Amino acid sequence: MKHNLRYLSVLCLLCVLCVSCSHIDENEQLIYVKPADVTRAVLIEDFTGQNCLNCPNATLTIGDLQAAYGHDVVVAVGIYSGEFGYMRGDRNRPYPLTTQMGDEYYVHWGLDHQPVGLVNRHGASEYQEWGALVREQLQQKSSLQLEALADYDSVNRQVAIKVSAMGTDGNTNGKLQVWLTEDNITDGQRMPDGVWNKEYVHNHVFRDAVNAAWG
């Protein structure tokens, strides 16, 4: 199993202005220049499960969107939860991809099936709708600029995370959620044809929240 620590960041466009030395009337020296638009990222919260037949199709949809727009533009988090989040074994013990926090999110958003997702938290949607919803969200202006840096100490197995946030329109109000995700987990998955694939590779799997469930 390969463990990769990933961090999420929203990129910004940098604009550098150069002016020559010339005489400008004192009343005209300060001229308002509209800030450059912040490059927008879209978050897909993919509520998925190992015993969910259509969940691999939702994963393929995410892969297509990331191939089209980039992994830094379409950010996906696989939240294993709900009734089909895992297979139950002889001792009624869940597989390790599910989390109590994932179940908490599943219940909070009033979800009742899988796969289902939230695109920038604009209501629950089916994976067949994600393409259109992502395009719609990318056309909107971002009201927040984020930068996240993660410094991982492999000896002590500790990570220090620094997040900078700045509102771009003066009306930003909300909480910051910082999540830990993991890639390249080889574990079982029920496929669309019903076959149990023991070598399925799970990516962008939600593991835990760094700063509590709701930020």
Side-chain angles (χ1 to χ4, degrees), residues 54-112:
N54 285 319
C55 285
N57 290 331
T59 300
L60 290 175
T61 297
I62 290 173
D64 290 341
L65 290 169
Q66 291 181 326
Y69 297 111
H71 287 71
D72 290 331
V73 175
V74 177
V75 179
V77 180
I79 303 176
Y80 289 74
S81 55
E83 181 180 358
F84 297 105
Y86 50 79
M87 286 288 292
R88 293 185 178 274
D90 295 337
R91 291 179 294 174
N92 203 35
R93 182 178 63 84
Y95 280 74
L97 300 189
T98 58
T99 63
Q100 290 183 349
M101 200 169 292
D103 281 334
E104 179 180 343
Y105 295 145
Y106 185 84
V107 172
H108 174 83
W109 298 117
L111 307 179
D112 60 4

Side-chain angles (χ1 to χ4, degrees), residues 16-138:
V16 179
L17 301 179
C18 300
V19 296
S20 61
C21 295
S22 59
H23 176 73
I24 302 177
D25 186 271
E26 186 173 315
N27 295 326
E28 297 178 355
Q29 288 182 2
L30 298 178
I31 301 175
Y32 173 77
V33 178
K34 183 179 179 181
D37 291 338
V38 176
T39 302
R40 187 172 181 82
V42 177
L43 172 65
I44 299 177
E45 293 168 85
D46 173 23
F47 287 86
T48 187
Q50 290 179 275
N51 198 28
C52 166
L53 291 173
N54 285 319
C55 285
N57 290 331
T59 300
L60 290 175
T61 297
I62 290 173
D64 290 341
L65 290 169
Q66 291 181 326
Y69 297 111
H71 287 71
D72 290 331
V73 175
V74 177
V75 179
V77 180
I79 303 176
Y80 289 74
S81 55
E83 181 180 358
F84 297 105
Y86 50 79
M87 286 288 292
R88 293 185 178 274
D90 295 337
R91 291 179 294 174
N92 203 35
R93 182 178 63 84
Y95 280 74
L97 300 189
T98 58
T99 63
Q100 290 183 349
M101 200 169 292
D103 281 334
E104 179 180 343
Y105 295 145
Y106 185 84
V107 172
H108 174 83
W109 298 117
L111 307 179
D112 60 4
H113 66 282
Q114 292 158 299
V116 65
L118 302 176
V119 177
N120 275 1
R121 294 198 168 168
H122 285 274
S125 57
E126 308 301 324
Y127 71 90
Q128 297 94 334
E129 303 173 274
W130 292 350
L133 292 172
V134 165
R135 287 192 296 271
E136 178 183 332
Q137 286 299 307
L138 288 175

